[in-house]
Amino acid sequence: MRDAALRYALAPACVLLAALAYFSLAQPALSLAGLFVFAVIGAAWLGWSSFRYRRIEAALRESARRYEFAINAIDEGFWDWVPDGDRLYLSPRALEILGFPQDTTFAGRASLYQRLAMPPEDRQALQQAVAEHFAGKNARMEVGFRVIVDGDVRWIHARGLATRDSSGKVIRWNGAASDVTAQRRTEEALHESKDRFALAVAGSSDGVWDIDFVGRTVFFSPRTRELCGLPPGPDVVPLDGWFEALPLHPEDRARRFEAVEAHLSGKAPAYNGEFRLRQPDGVYRWRHVHGLCVRDAAGKPVRLAGSVSDVDDRRRAEDALRESEERYELAMAASESGYWDWDIPTDRYFFSEKAYELGGYDGEWATREELSSRINMHPEDFAKWEAARQELFAGTGERLAMECRYLVRGETRWHSLKAICKRDETGKVVRWTGSATDVTERKLAEQGLAAMERKLRQAQRLEAMGTLAGGIAHDFNNILGAILGYGEMALRDVPKGSRLARDLDSIMIAGERGRALVERVLAFSRSAVGERVPVHVERVAREALDLVMANLPPSVTLHSSLHAGAAAVLGDATQVHQVVANLVSNAVQAMAAGGTLRVKLAVDHFDAPRAATIGALTAGQYAVLTVADTGSGIAPEIVDRIFDPFFTTKEVGTGTGLGLSLVHGIVTELGGAIDVLSKVGTGSTFTVYLPRYGNAAEARTEDESDVPRGNGQRVLVVDDEEQLVGLATRTLEELGYAPTGFTSSSAALAAFRANPERFDAVLTDERMPGMSGSALILEARAIRDRIPIVMMSGYVGGGLMEAAGEVGADLVLKKPLSLRDLANGLSRALQR
């Protein structure tokens, strides 16, 4: 710029010089044209200089803008100080950083120092740094200081460089300043955080560790070393080999490695585990380790840090508690008992595994409310238990013991419950603990013993009744035999439809009623058991109901549902008929004012044994007969007596008291059981269970022509009743046999001994004076071993059938005998 100004000043001088030359002595030599040339050269030189000056000025302005942009981009302010004239320049950003308005100017460097609001110590430090730099002690000046702007403290970082002349004198000083307040505050917060962390680590009972996978180092706090059983040493150690140096229990090494790998591989959200480490005293102690890893952008672990805690006391306490609980559990298991514990303030419930098993519970619960909604205790027993518990809680007692029923997987089980409560200082119950023991077998045994006692008492009564029945059966059956036999014979000889035929029919009906009465007496005494065969239960039940329908009062409605199919029971059809008839008869009599009678017959299967009111059921299939009425019901206090002989609640002359005794005797003889459910004023339900014996064969109807007949076979007939001997011989003659009758067993034996081949079969009564039928059979068998022999008796109880078989009887027939009974029996004996 200085050269350009010089050129502008010389241009007029050149023009003046040209004019002087023209008017000087050299004028002739200088023409007007020469002057013009000088003028043109001067103007050209002046124009070129002006053009060059403008280009330089434009370049300087562009350079200044670039410098300003660069300074603004780095967010720093700058200054320029020229000692010559003490000229000081501060950029706008420098003024802003130092807290000055943008139009602020300074008389010099000292003016800047005076106007800066800063702590005295920082002012001294700044001036000292500048002085040392100007003195040449530091090649560059770099200093940090604080300024106060509007009450806030700012941290400034300044860097400066002095320009010196050849003698080392400062001729210029430039520099930059930046606001580092945020950085300094962050650093201070970091230092404060580090200090807090150091204090927390020092004051904590836990240890801290940090694994740097990139730097391959491990940091251990002193407490970590102590807890891990490591000797004192440096805080940071190489990563390689540090795991092997840990005195882990051999059994925990693999588990610890798996826990670390699970977290580092991302399978576990954190590294957690409890491991044993050997301490300097040689004892392994439990430590809890927790850690989290830091990953890079690619997800690779770069750091794993965490803590280690001393949990040895807790683990040992837990182990001791677990061992104690295991001992208690084993003790309870040995006693086959389950136990529970209710913490009332927290309403937390604990049930042992055995308690869940005994109660038949599939899930678990934790509160009293859950227990009450899911308990399997019988509703009646649960109400009693709750009432007793509430009474105990409201009082001052401590213990409660009861036996209750539980419905476990469809089966009724008896549990003995014993509980004890713990009270606080005010007497309020705060804990309720107890045990449950399955006593079903004992209860069944007690029930069985009670049933056996009842059966014994009943057996004693039945024995007396059986003796009575056996005493009268023979003579009574002989009387009935004569009546029925001769009546049947007379009916065959009289005209059908005549008055005599009707009279004989009445005699036969009366005789059949007498025989039915004897049958009931003998069945009651268990002496009327004939040969057991598969009995079609549904067919017999229908026959019995048909008879009932004929005499059913109009006020009683019968609903029957018989669906047993071809199911059979092993016994006698007469017995099954009597069971149905007696139960239905009792039900009808219980509904004097009318009602509904329901009879059901079905087949059911039981998977497990169970007790019934009378008898017990084993697993298997049963024909189940149910007779229910809507009558007066049975009072609870007499339910146990209703099966006793001659016990009746009916009016005198209405019943004999043998009906249910007869049912009881028959069902027991057939291996069945009876359930009784009754409520006074509502009615009674009797359920009879008879063991199923496969399916019964289809029944075949028979008429008179179906009766087997003889072919002249000679039959020896022996009976002490002359009328019965005559009846038997006449009947056998009609059937095609050749009978020979004797009223004396001794005379009959003498005739047989005299000519054994004279007879083809023997038909003898059992109870006779002198020689009994059994003795006669033994003698006859000794003489002729293979002759067919049939025994007759009005009393076939007391093991007569077995005894008859032992002495050699081929068949036993029960008196009185009809023509068909005698024909079938003798035919079967001859076929054998």
Side-chain angles (χ1 to χ4, degrees), residues 409-471:
R409 291 177 284 274
E411 181 183 359
T412 300
R413 307 292 297 180
W414 280 93
H415 291 175
S416 174
L417 304 180
K418 297 180 180 180
I420 185 171
C421 61
K422 182 180 179 182
R423 302 176 184 271
D424 59 14
E425 61 277 1
T426 65
K428 182 180 179 181
V429 178
V430 295
R431 197 147 194 159
W432 178 242
T433 306
S435 64
T437 306
D438 191 323
V439 294
T440 306
E441 302 304 324
R442 175 174 63 78
K443 292 292 289 188
L444 290 178
E446 291 176 354
Q447 293 173 357
L449 179 60
M452 289 179 64
E453 291 176 350
R454 291 195 301 269
K455 290 179 182 179
L456 178 59
R457 290 192 298 270
Q458 190 172 27
Q460 292 170 344
R461 292 190 292 267
L462 290 176
E463 184 179 1
M465 188 62 192
T467 302
L468 174 63

XYZ file of all heavy atoms in Angstrom, residues 409-471:
489
model
N -59.303 -87.611 45.291
C -59.364 -88.333 44.024
C -60.556 -89.293 43.985
O -60.426 -90.472 43.629
C -58.049 -89.078 43.766
C -56.877 -88.130 43.478
C -55.581 -88.899 43.307
N -55.076 -89.344 44.595
C -54.323 -88.625 45.402
N -53.977 -87.421 45.031
N -53.894 -89.109 46.553
N -61.717 -88.763 44.377
C -62.937 -89.541 44.326
C -63.118 -90.515 45.466
O -64.086 -91.289 45.475
N -62.220 -90.516 46.433
C -62.282 -91.466 47.544
C -62.331 -90.692 48.862
O -61.686 -89.657 49.012
C -61.048 -92.380 47.514
C -61.033 -93.415 48.621
C -59.758 -94.247 48.598
O -58.921 -94.010 47.701
O -59.599 -95.121 49.473
N -63.115 -91.204 49.795
C -63.203 -90.575 51.114
C -62.077 -91.101 51.997
O -61.956 -92.311 52.207
C -64.558 -90.871 51.772
O -65.602 -90.351 50.940
C -64.639 -90.212 53.140
N -61.251 -90.173 52.475
C -60.131 -90.536 53.349
C -60.300 -89.828 54.693
O -60.762 -88.694 54.764
C -58.786 -90.121 52.736
C -58.539 -90.619 51.333
C -58.371 -92.110 51.262
N -57.213 -92.584 52.006
C -56.855 -93.859 52.083
N -57.585 -94.791 51.485
N -55.787 -94.216 52.772
N -59.902 -90.510 55.757
C -59.955 -89.942 57.099
C -58.582 -89.413 57.482
O -57.576 -90.111 57.327
C -60.398 -91.009 58.112
C -61.873 -91.247 58.129
C -62.572 -92.182 57.423
C -62.844 -90.524 58.896
N -63.912 -92.090 57.680
C -64.110 -91.077 58.600
C -62.777 -89.461 59.791
C -65.289 -90.615 59.168
C -63.949 -89.000 60.365
C -65.190 -89.572 60.060
N -58.531 -88.160 57.960
C -57.283 -87.548 58.400
C -57.400 -87.137 59.864
O -58.430 -86.600 60.291
C -56.944 -86.302 57.568
C -56.576 -86.620 56.160
N -56.330 -85.652 55.212
C -56.427 -87.796 55.520
C -56.038 -86.226 54.063
N -56.096 -87.525 54.223
N -56.336 -87.394 60.588
C -56.244 -86.907 61.963
C -55.499 -85.577 61.931
O -54.328 -85.521 61.562
C -55.507 -87.917 62.840
O -55.289 -87.383 64.139
N -56.174 -84.497 62.296
C -55.602 -83.151 62.268
C -55.279 -82.707 63.682
O -56.152 -82.744 64.574
C -56.568 -82.160 61.621
C -57.049 -82.503 60.201
C -57.993 -81.430 59.690
C -55.877 -82.687 59.255
N -54.035 -82.304 63.888
C -53.606 -81.783 65.181
C -52.929 -80.442 64.934
O -52.063 -80.333 64.061
C -52.643 -82.746 65.871
C -53.275 -84.093 66.208
C -52.286 -85.030 66.890
C -52.944 -86.365 67.216
N -51.987 -87.292 67.879
N -53.318 -79.419 65.699
C -52.798 -78.072 65.458
C -52.516 -77.377 66.784
O -53.115 -77.691 67.814
C -53.786 -77.257 64.640
N -51.573 -76.448 66.717
C -51.217 -75.639 67.873
C -51.095 -74.197 67.427
O -50.624 -73.920 66.317
C -49.896 -76.135 68.514
C -49.601 -75.357 69.794
C -48.745 -76.045 67.533
C -48.441 -75.925 70.584
N -51.547 -73.258 68.262
C -51.479 -71.848 67.907
C -50.501 -71.124 68.833
O -50.301 -71.522 69.985
C -52.855 -71.194 67.978
S -53.622 -71.225 69.604
N -49.891 -70.075 68.293
C -48.968 -69.240 69.052
C -49.566 -67.847 69.145
O -50.035 -67.294 68.168
C -47.607 -69.181 68.345
C -46.568 -68.367 69.097
C -45.244 -68.351 68.333
C -44.202 -67.515 69.060
N -42.925 -67.460 68.309
N -49.537 -67.270 70.368
C -50.156 -65.970 70.598
C -49.088 -64.926 70.916
O -48.009 -65.258 71.421
C -51.160 -66.056 71.751
C -52.261 -67.089 71.515
C -53.175 -67.225 72.724
N -54.153 -68.285 72.524
C -55.348 -68.105 71.966
N -55.709 -66.883 71.583
N -56.182 -69.115 71.811
N -49.431 -63.649 70.640
C -48.522 -62.562 71.007
C -48.788 -62.156 72.454
O -49.567 -62.804 73.175
C -48.674 -61.375 70.051
C -50.094 -60.820 70.043
O -50.884 -61.170 70.948
O -50.412 -60.031 69.132
N -48.148 -61.062 72.883
C -48.270 -60.655 74.286
C -49.690 -60.234 74.650
O -50.076 -60.251 75.828
C -47.289 -59.518 74.593
C -47.505 -58.249 73.778
C -46.854 -58.332 72.401
O -46.256 -59.405 72.102
O -46.936 -57.347 71.631
N -50.507 -59.886 73.626
C -51.892 -59.503 73.914
C -52.841 -60.692 73.899
O -54.034 -60.536 74.164
C -52.373 -58.470 72.882
O -52.412 -59.083 71.579
C -51.442 -57.265 72.841
N -52.320 -61.870 73.585
C -53.167 -63.057 73.517
C -53.732 -63.334 72.149
O -54.445 -64.316 71.949
N -53.411 -62.492 71.159
C -53.907 -62.682 69.805
C -53.091 -63.760 69.100
O -51.869 -63.816 69.207
C -53.820 -61.367 69.034
C -54.355 -61.453 67.612
C -54.234 -60.111 66.908
C -54.730 -60.192 65.481
N -54.602 -58.890 64.776
N -53.783 -64.649 68.368
C -53.100 -65.726 67.643
C -52.358 -65.140 66.449
O -52.950 -64.444 65.620
C -54.104 -66.797 67.179
C -53.387 -67.879 66.387
C -54.821 -67.403 68.372
N -51.058 -65.429 66.362
C -50.239 -64.921 65.257
C -49.687 -66.047 64.396
O -49.152 -65.800 63.317
C -49.081 -64.054 65.797
C -49.609 -62.811 66.469
C -48.203 -64.851 66.761
N -49.820 -67.278 64.875
C -49.291 -68.404 64.092
C -50.148 -69.636 64.361
O -50.594 -69.860 65.487
C -47.839 -68.675 64.460
C -47.107 -69.525 63.436
C -45.675 -69.144 63.349
N -45.014 -69.677 62.184
C -43.916 -69.184 61.680
N -43.372 -68.108 62.230
N -43.347 -69.719 60.620
N -50.340 -70.412 63.328
C -51.203 -71.597 63.412
C -50.515 -72.733 62.655
O -50.352 -72.698 61.443
C -52.562 -71.257 62.791
C -53.586 -72.338 62.726
C -54.151 -72.861 61.598
C -54.219 -72.997 63.822
N -55.082 -73.804 61.927
C -55.156 -73.911 63.286
C -54.082 -72.920 65.209
C -55.947 -74.736 64.088
C -54.879 -73.738 66.008
C -55.788 -74.622 65.462
N -50.045 -73.717 63.383
C -49.229 -74.795 62.813
C -49.823 -76.132 63.212
O -50.341 -76.280 64.330
C -47.778 -74.705 63.312
O -47.278 -73.396 63.047
C -46.899 -75.725 62.617
N -49.735 -77.094 62.300
C -50.284 -78.402 62.643
C -49.849 -79.477 61.674
O -49.049 -79.249 60.771
N -50.382 -80.662 61.900
C -50.017 -81.817 61.076
C -51.274 -82.577 60.683
O -52.319 -82.470 61.327
C -49.076 -82.744 61.842
O -49.733 -83.303 62.979
N -51.148 -83.331 59.600
C -52.248 -84.161 59.102
C -51.726 -85.570 58.885
O -50.675 -85.760 58.270
C -52.810 -83.589 57.807
N -52.451 -86.553 59.388
C -52.061 -87.951 59.257
C -53.238 -88.742 58.716
O -54.370 -88.589 59.194
C -51.636 -88.532 60.619
O -50.617 -87.704 61.187
C -51.096 -89.944 60.444
N -52.977 -89.541 57.695
C -54.028 -90.371 57.112
C -54.308 -91.552 58.044
O -53.434 -92.388 58.287
C -53.597 -90.878 55.732
C -54.747 -91.511 54.969
O -55.590 -92.173 55.594
O -54.803 -91.352 53.743
N -55.529 -91.590 58.582
C -55.915 -92.667 59.506
C -57.054 -93.482 58.917
O -57.835 -94.096 59.656
C -56.307 -92.081 60.878
C -55.112 -91.450 61.558
C -57.450 -91.069 60.742
N -57.149 -93.469 57.579
C -58.246 -94.181 56.933
C -58.231 -95.661 57.277
O -59.284 -96.247 57.581
C -58.168 -93.993 55.407
O -58.131 -92.597 55.099
C -59.356 -94.626 54.723
N -57.057 -96.266 57.235
C -56.975 -97.701 57.515
C -57.442 -97.993 58.940
O -58.149 -98.979 59.184
C -55.542 -98.202 57.297
C -54.997 -97.952 55.889
C -55.899 -98.555 54.825
O -56.474 -99.638 55.077
O -56.036 -97.944 53.741
N -57.029 -97.140 59.865
C -57.463 -97.354 61.246
C -58.965 -97.174 61.368
O -59.634 -97.960 62.052
C -56.741 -96.379 62.184
C -57.228 -96.460 63.632
C -56.403 -95.612 64.550
N -56.472 -94.188 64.256
C -57.498 -93.410 64.600
N -58.554 -93.916 65.225
N -57.479 -92.131 64.309
N -59.495 -96.125 60.698
C -60.933 -95.901 60.764
C -61.692 -97.077 60.135
O -62.712 -97.520 60.677
C -61.303 -94.605 60.053
C -60.811 -93.348 60.744
C -61.516 -93.126 62.059
C -62.953 -92.707 61.881
N -63.582 -92.300 63.160
N -61.157 -97.570 59.004
C -61.802 -98.724 58.382
C -61.728 -99.938 59.288
O -62.678 -100.726 59.379
C -61.153 -99.027 57.025
C -61.410 -98.015 55.907
C -60.658 -98.416 54.644
C -62.906 -97.901 55.615
N -60.557 -100.071 59.961
C -60.419 -101.188 60.889
C -61.407 -101.053 62.044
O -62.026 -102.037 62.478
C -58.990 -101.262 61.408
N -61.548 -99.821 62.541
C -62.500 -99.598 63.621
C -63.923 -99.874 63.145
O -64.716 -100.504 63.855
C -62.393 -98.157 64.125
C -61.094 -97.860 64.871
C -60.984 -96.400 65.256
O -61.858 -95.607 64.836
O -60.027 -96.048 65.976
N -64.219 -99.380 61.933
C -65.542 -99.647 61.390
C -65.740 -101.139 61.153
O -66.830 -101.682 61.410
C -65.740 -98.878 60.088
C -65.787 -97.370 60.262
C -65.821 -96.630 58.939
O -65.756 -97.234 57.865
N -65.907 -95.307 59.007
N -64.654 -101.770 60.657
C -64.745 -103.216 60.453
C -64.950 -103.959 61.761
O -65.722 -104.922 61.837
N -64.232 -103.492 62.804
C -64.385 -104.128 64.110
C -65.799 -103.922 64.634
O -66.424 -104.861 65.163
C -63.374 -103.547 65.092
C -63.423 -104.088 66.531
C -63.176 -105.587 66.535
C -62.403 -103.365 67.408
N -66.304 -102.693 64.462
C -67.679 -102.433 64.906
C -68.666 -103.290 64.115
O -69.628 -103.833 64.677
C -68.008 -100.957 64.749
N -68.393 -103.389 62.800
C -69.277 -104.222 61.982
C -69.200 -105.677 62.407
O -70.217 -106.391 62.453
C -68.906 -104.078 60.509
N -67.970 -106.121 62.718
C -67.821 -107.509 63.170
C -68.538 -107.738 64.486
O -69.145 -108.799 64.707
C -66.335 -107.846 63.310
C -65.596 -107.972 61.987
S -63.841 -108.335 62.199
C -63.930 -109.940 62.983
N -68.465 -106.738 65.364
C -69.192 -106.871 66.630
C -70.689 -106.946 66.383
O -71.393 -107.743 67.011
C -68.851 -105.688 67.533
C -67.416 -105.696 68.044
C -67.082 -104.458 68.857
O -67.921 -103.522 68.848
O -66.016 -104.421 69.488
N -71.160 -106.070 65.452
C -72.590 -106.137 65.125
C -72.938 -107.488 64.513
O -73.963 -108.082 64.831
C -72.960 -105.012 64.166
C -72.919 -103.617 64.764
C -73.638 -102.615 63.862
N -73.046 -102.551 62.543
C -72.078 -101.715 62.206
N -71.569 -100.895 63.110
N -71.604 -101.697 60.964
N -72.043 -107.939 63.604
C -72.301 -109.232 62.977
C -72.276 -110.365 63.993
O -73.052 -111.329 63.903
C -71.265 -109.490 61.885
C -71.429 -108.601 60.659
C -70.345 -108.887 59.630
C -70.479 -107.976 58.414
N -69.406 -108.230 57.421
N -71.364 -110.248 64.970
C -71.298 -111.287 65.990
C -72.585 -111.339 66.806
O -73.146 -112.415 67.047
C -70.100 -111.029 66.911
C -69.917 -112.013 68.080
C -69.741 -113.431 67.557
C -68.734 -111.598 68.948
N -73.023 -110.138 67.204
C -74.277 -110.107 67.949
C -75.432 -110.631 67.107
O -76.294 -111.376 67.590
C -74.572 -108.683 68.407
C -73.631 -108.177 69.488
C -74.154 -106.883 70.103
N -74.252 -105.803 69.137
C -73.281 -104.943 68.882
N -72.116 -105.052 69.530
N -73.444 -103.976 67.998
N -75.404 -110.215 65.821
C -76.466 -110.679 64.945
C -76.344 -112.172 64.687
O -77.353 -112.888 64.633
C -76.398 -109.906 63.615
C -77.596 -110.142 62.726
C -77.595 -109.229 61.527
O -76.531 -108.799 61.099
N -78.760 -108.930 60.994
N -75.088 -112.631 64.562
C -74.892 -114.068 64.335
C -75.415 -114.884 65.511
O -75.968 -115.974 65.336
C -73.420 -114.356 64.100
N -75.206 -114.338 66.704
C -75.727 -115.040 67.882
C -77.245 -115.115 67.843
O -77.835 -116.139 68.172
C -75.255 -114.332 69.154
C -73.750 -114.443 69.373
C -73.261 -113.551 70.497
O -73.963 -112.625 70.928
N -72.056 -113.828 70.982
N -77.860 -113.995 67.438
C -79.309 -114.013 67.321
C -79.750 -114.942 66.195
O -80.731 -115.670 66.308
C -79.831 -112.601 67.076
C -79.651 -111.668 68.265
C -80.409 -110.365 68.067
N -79.836 -109.553 67.003
C -78.923 -108.608 67.190
N -78.454 -108.384 68.412
N -78.469 -107.909 66.176
N -78.970 -114.854 65.062
C -79.308 -115.718 63.934
C -79.113 -117.196 64.269
O -79.848 -118.056 63.777
C -78.444 -115.341 62.722
C -78.750 -113.992 62.071
C -77.752 -113.711 60.963
C -80.160 -113.963 61.522
N -78.095 -117.457 65.092
C -77.870 -118.848 65.482
C -79.069 -119.400 66.252
O -79.509 -120.528 66.020
C -76.612 -118.947 66.334
C -76.244 -120.382 66.701
C -74.977 -120.433 67.522
O -74.398 -119.380 67.812
O -74.557 -121.551 67.879
N -79.578 -118.573 67.165
C -80.758 -119.010 67.914
C -81.941 -119.196 66.974
O -82.705 -120.167 67.079
C -81.088 -117.997 68.991
N -82.066 -118.216 66.015
C -83.160 -118.323 65.066
C -82.975 -119.514 64.153
O -83.937 -120.211 63.798
C -83.226 -117.039 64.248
C -84.436 -116.950 63.346
S -85.956 -116.965 64.304
C -87.159 -117.220 63.001
N -81.721 -119.775 63.761
C -81.455 -120.911 62.898
C -81.778 -122.227 63.569
O -82.296 -123.160 62.945
N -81.460 -122.297 64.859
C -81.772 -123.516 65.602
C -83.279 -123.742 65.633
O -83.774 -124.871 65.443
C -81.217 -123.418 67.029
O -79.810 -123.191 66.951
C -81.495 -124.682 67.819
N -84.002 -122.629 65.888
C -85.456 -122.722 65.894
C -85.975 -123.127 64.524
O -86.850 -123.994 64.391
C -86.050 -121.383 66.313
C -87.575 -121.257 66.240
C -88.239 -122.248 67.196
C -88.009 -119.830 66.561
N -85.418 -122.451 63.463
C -85.882 -122.748 62.107
C -85.583 -124.186 61.728
O -86.417 -124.875 61.129
C -85.223 -121.792 61.116
N -84.386 -124.628 62.090
C -84.039 -126.012 61.757
C -84.904 -127.017 62.488
O -85.188 -128.100 61.968
N -85.314 -126.618 63.697
C -86.131 -127.552 64.472
C -87.515 -127.742 63.900
O -88.097 -128.820 64.013
